[in-house]
Amino acid sequence: MDQPLDGPLRAPLSRRAWLRLLGTGAVSLYLRRAYGAPAVAPGDARASPIDRSLGETAPRAFSGDQPERPHRALWDKRAYLAARGGLPPVEKSVPLVVVGGGIAGLTTAYLLRRHGPVVLEQGARFGGNARGESWRGLDYAIGAAYFTAPEEGSPLRRLYGELGVDKIWRKAPGGHPVALEGRLVGDFWQGRSAPADRAQFRALARYFHRLYQEEGGLVYPEIPAYSRARRRHIDALDRISFRRHVESVAGGPLHPHLVTAFEHYCWSSFGASFSEVSAAAGLNFFAAEFGDILVTPGGNAAIAERLYARLDAALPPGHLQAGALVVDVRVAGDGVEVSYEDAAGALHRLRTRAAVLACPKFVAARLVDDLEPERLEAIRRLSYRAYLVANVLLTRKLPDSLYDLYLLGGGATDDKDIKAAAERQKATDVVFGTYAHPDARSSILTLYRPLPYDGARPALLADDAYDRYRAEFEAQLQETVLPLLDVRPEDVADLRLARWGHPLPVAATGLIADGTVDRLRRPLRDRVFFVQQDNWALPAIETATAEALHWAPRIARLLA
Ligand SMILES: Cc1cc2nc3c(=O)[nH]c(=O)nc-3n(C[C@H](O)[C@H](O)[C@H](O)COP(=O)(O)OP(=O)(O)OC[C@H]3O[C@@H](n4cnc5c(N)ncnc54)[C@H](O)[C@@H]3O)c2cc1C
C-alpha cells in the first residue's frame, strides 16, 4: 500500500494539487538613511508588493533586488557587527518571528496570524520575487507571473479562495505558440515547424498531457511528495536529467526545434539547462504547462499583495516590517534570538519562541552561526542563478489570444556552451503582462531574460549594467519582438528593467534523491524552521505555499 509520509507532508502540494486524493515617485523609496537602509515606515502601504508610485515615466534604474545593504552587512557579518558595536541587548519577546516576506514567509505568517508573528523583510517592499509595478492603472509583474490551477478542494485552492485570488484570475490560452525564424508558429506541439518530424512532437505532447492527467498508469511527479511510493518515484526521476528522460520517451535524439524549446523553457523557468535540471523537476513544471495556467493582474505579486493586506489588517502595528534586514539568528535556551537592522538603520534584538527562515538558504547560512555541518554541506550544493526582466509599456491594445510566447530564434541552440548560447539569445520568452486585465488603449509586454549559468552576477552589478542590458533589451525588441507582434517602435512608451541576483535555486539532478532537500528543510533544534522555495530546490509559488502549508501546523503546535 502507498504509505503517506509523516505529518503535514500529506498536505498538498506543488505545481498541481493532489488530483488523485481529492478528485520617480519611486526614488524616495530608495533614499538612503544611516547604513543605507531604505526609507520605509513599518506597516506602510508603500511596502506593499506592487509599486504604484512610478507614474508615467519611471527612473532609469533597476528595480528588483537592491543588493547593496544585504551585501554590506552579510558578506562579512563579523566585521559588520564589530563596526556596529556587537549585537544589541534583547529588546522584547514575541511569540514568532518570520524572516523574509516573500510568498513563503507571507503565507506562513498568514496561516499563523493568530499567534501574532513579526515579519521582517529586508527589501523596501514585501513580495520577494513576486513583486509588481503599475502603469496607467495596469499592474504588471517584475518577477513571478503565473501559477497552475489548484485542484478543487485542496488546501491551496482554499487559500486562494480565502484571499479572493479566484475572483481575479484568468485562464491563459493554450496552444503553446512560439516564434521561429521571425514568424509566429501556433501550436508548436503539432509539429508545424518540422512536418517531417511531427510524429516526435506529437508523441511528446501526448506524453506530457497524459502524465499530467495521470492516464495510462503514468504518475505525475508531485513535489513535495505526499506518500512514500510517490517519493520513491520522484527519487528515481531525480537521478537522471530532464533531457535524458525526454530523449528516452522520444526514443532517440530530439529534433533541434525541440531541443531549443526545452532549453529555453528550462533557462526561463529554472535558470538552468535542459541537461542540468532533474527529470523530476523538469516533468513537474513542464507537464503542468499542459494543464490550466492561471494569471492575475500584476502576476503573482497580486497574491503577495493580498497576503500582505490581510496581515496588515490582522497584526498589531510594527509586526510587518519592511526594510528590516535580519543579520543574526541564534537558538538560546528554549527560544531563539533574532537581530535585525531596521529601516532607519538601528539594530534590534527580539527573543521569540520560534523563528521561520523564509529567506533563501545561502542567506540562512550567514544568519545562523552554528548550523550543523550536514546542513551547511547541503546548502553548499545549491547554486542560484540570476535573472533580468524588462517590462515594455505600450500605448496600444494587444490581442489577448497569446499569453507566453517562446522565442526560438532560428530553431537551433549550442547546448555545449550554454553561456554563449544564452548571451546570444537574450530574452527567451515574452509574456503578455496585461493578459488578465486587457485595456483598450494600453498594454504591457514582459520580457524574461534568464542567465542560466554560474558567474553571471558580477555583470549585473557592474557600473554600466543598466545601460548595457537596457541597450540589449531595446535591440532585441526592435529586431525581433516588435516586428513579430506587429507593434511599431513609436507605440513603446517606456521600458522598465528589474534585476534579480540569486532568485532561482537550480533544480539539479540528485538533490532530492540523495536527501539534500531533507537536510535543507529539517527544523533546527525544533525552534528554527525553514520555509522557502529552495527547500525543494524548485522555484515555484506552489513550492513556497506547499512548504508553508506543511510547516505551519507544526509551528502552531509548538506555540500552543
Ligand atoms: C523573474 C522570475 C520569474 C518567475 N516566474 C515565476 C512564475 O511565473 N511562477 C512561479 O510560480 N514562480 C516564478 N518564479 C519563482 C519565484 O521565485 C517563486 O514563485 C516564489 O515567488 C518564491 O517565493 P519565496 O518566498 O520562496 O522566496 P523569495 O521570493 O526569494 O522570498 C524570500 C524573501 O526573503 C527576504 N530576505 C532575504 N534575506 C533576508 C534577510 N537577511 N532579512 C530579511 N529578509 C530577507 C527577501 O528579500 C525575500 O523577500 C519566478 C522567479 C523569478 C526571479
Side-chain angles (χ1 to χ4, degrees):
M1 198 186 122
D2 192 359
Q3 293 292 320
L5 281 165
D6 290 344
L9 245 191
R10 281 174 278 127
L13 293 166
S14 63
R15 298 296 290 182
R16 189 189 63 154
W18 221 352
L19 185 71
R20 288 287 163 247
L21 299 191
L22 292 168
T24 63
V27 170
S28 64
L29 283 176
Y30 300 111
L31 284 178
R32 304 283 136 184
R33 288 196 193 153
Y35 306 102
V40 180
D44 196 306
R46 288 180 303 157
S48 169
I50 300 183
D51 184 351
R52 297 197 174 81
S53 72
L54 293 171
E56 186 62 15
T57 311
R60 284 194 159 219
F62 286 119
S63 62
D65 286 339
Q66 302 299 326
E68 298 80 10
R69 184 167 74 133
H71 284 179
R72 204 176 316 136
L74 295 175
W75 270 355
D76 188 348
K77 171 174 140 179
R78 208 183 282 245
Y80 163 83
L81 286 176
R84 302 296 314 266
L87 292 174
V90 171
E91 226 165 71
K92 61 175 173 178
S93 287
V94 295
L96 175 66
V97 173
V98 177
V99 178
I103 291 280
L106 288 172
T107 307
T108 310
Y110 175 76
L111 296 170
L112 295 170
R113 61 195 180 282
R114 75 180 181 85
H115 297 281
V118 171
V119 191
L120 302 172
E121 164 55 47
Q122 61 87 25
R125 288 179 179 277
F126 282 82
N129 301 330
R131 272 179 285 156
E133 294 173 350
S134 199
W135 176 63
R136 298 187 177 178
L138 299 173
D139 296 342
Y140 57 89
I142 61 168
Y146 68 84
F147 51 101
T148 54
E151 198 58 28
E152 283 305 321
S154 67
L156 187 54
R157 175 66 184 82
R158 283 200 295 278
L159 177 68
Y160 287 154
E162 259 175 62
L163 297 173
V165 178
D166 53 355
K167 304 280 186 301
I168 54 167
W169 68 37
R170 184 177 180 204
K171 197 172 117 185
H176 303 272
V178 301
L180 238 172
E181 292 168 344
R183 283 184 308 116
L184 283 180
V185 180
D187 208 348
F188 176 70
W189 292 99
Q190 286 303 312
R192 294 216 173 88
S193 68
D197 289 295
R198 67 171 172 241
Q200 191 180 55
F201 288 65
R202 290 179 179 182
L204 283 174
R206 212 166 29 249
Y207 171 71
F208 290 119
H209 181 80
R210 283 159 54 86
L211 178 67
Y212 197 53
Q213 299 306 326
E214 299 205 325
E215 288 171 11
L218 292 172
V219 178
Y220 173 77
E222 189 69 73
I223 302 174
Y226 55 84
S227 74
R228 290 188 199 289
R230 292 219 170 217
R231 175 65 192 260
R232 277 196 298 276
H233 176 60
I234 288 168
D235 285 353
L237 286 170
D238 193 61
R239 290 191 184 95
I240 58 166
S241 75
F242 186 33
R243 181 167 188 154
R244 216 178 108 195
H245 179 82
V246 174
E247 285 174 344
S248 77
V249 172
L254 302 175
H255 187 281
H257 292 175
L258 288 170
V259 174
T260 308
F262 281 114
E263 282 295 356
H264 290 195
Y265 181 82
C266 289
W267 300 355
S268 179
S269 303
F270 296 104
S273 74
F274 189 21
S275 307
E276 277 180 295
V277 169
S278 88
L283 291 173
N284 176 281
F285 270 37
F286 201 72
E289 300 286 337
F290 289 76
D292 288 343
I293 296 296
L294 300 176
V295 188
T296 54
N300 295 0
I303 301 174
E305 190 172 59
R306 279 172 157 65
L307 287 162
Y308 173 82
R310 295 291 196 285
L311 284 167
D312 202 27
L315 297 177
H319 278 230
L320 272 181
Q321 291 200 36
L325 174 72
V326 174
V327 293
D328 187 81
V329 175
R330 54 190 61 209
V331 178
D334 61 354
V336 184
E337 291 174 3
V338 178
S339 302
Y340 69 98
E341 184 190 278
D342 72 14
L347 278 182
H348 307 269
R349 183 159 22 162
L350 298 176
R351 188 171 169 82
T352 178
R353 292 170 66 195
V356 176
L357 298 194
C359 53
K361 299 291 176 294
F362 72 91
V363 177
R366 289 169 190 266
L367 300 185
V368 189
D369 287 345
D370 58 349
L371 282 182
E372 319 88 309
E374 62 276 15
R375 192 191 309 267
L376 282 173
E377 180 51 31
I379 294 174
R380 271 194 283 273
R381 296 205 57 215
L382 292 177
S383 43
Y384 294 83
R385 298 280 165 76
Y387 221 115
L388 287 161
V389 176
N391 273 287
V392 189
L393 315 184
L394 301 175
T395 53
R396 57 160 281 188
K397 185 176 165 43
L398 283 175
D400 64 356
S401 49
L402 293 178
Y403 173 62
D404 195 355
L405 174 68
Y406 268 85
L407 306 172
L408 304 190
T413 303
D414 176 6
D415 49 4
K416 303 287 172 293
D417 187 346
I418 296 295
K419 180 177 176 189
E423 281 181 357
R424 260 195 311 279
Q425 172 59 35
K426 304 189 173 58
T428 48
D429 56 318
V430 184
V431 160
F432 282 46
T434 38
Y435 173 80
H437 52 151
D439 180 79
R441 287 177 304 133
S442 313
S443 41
I444 296 167
L445 291 172
T446 312
L447 268 58
Y448 283 90
R449 179 169 175 183
L451 300 160
Y453 48 88
D454 290 330
R457 272 187 287 284
L460 291 191
L461 295 176
D463 288 343
D464 65 346
Y466 181 83
D467 292 336
R468 174 191 158 190
Y469 289 114
R470 184 174 176 117
E472 292 185 3
F473 273 117
E474 281 173 357
Q476 192 175 14
L477 263 178
Q478 303 278 351
E479 288 157 22
T480 310
V481 179
L482 298 185
L484 259 176
L485 300 174
D486 209 15
V487 175
R488 298 167 309 164
E490 52 271 35
D491 295 329
V492 178
D494 199 6
L495 186 64
R496 297 180 178 178
L497 267 53
R499 163 181 69 177
W500 303 98
H502 9 61
L504 302 182
V506 174
T509 308
L511 293 175
I512 298 177
D514 72 8
T516 296
V517 297
D518 305 300
R519 291 190 285 280
L520 287 173
R521 62 196 281 280
R522 80 168 62 111
L524 173 67
R525 292 193 237 158
D526 274 330
R527 298 271 152 206
V528 179
F529 297 84
F530 298 84
V531 182
Q532 209 252 0
Q533 62 179 358
D534 65 8
N535 279 19
W536 290 87
L538 196 68
I541 187 170
E542 292 84 359
T543 322
T545 48
E547 285 298 273
L549 286 162
H550 173 74
W551 291 107
R554 190 161 160 178
I555 300 166
R557 279 200 296 280
L558 180 73
L559 299 177

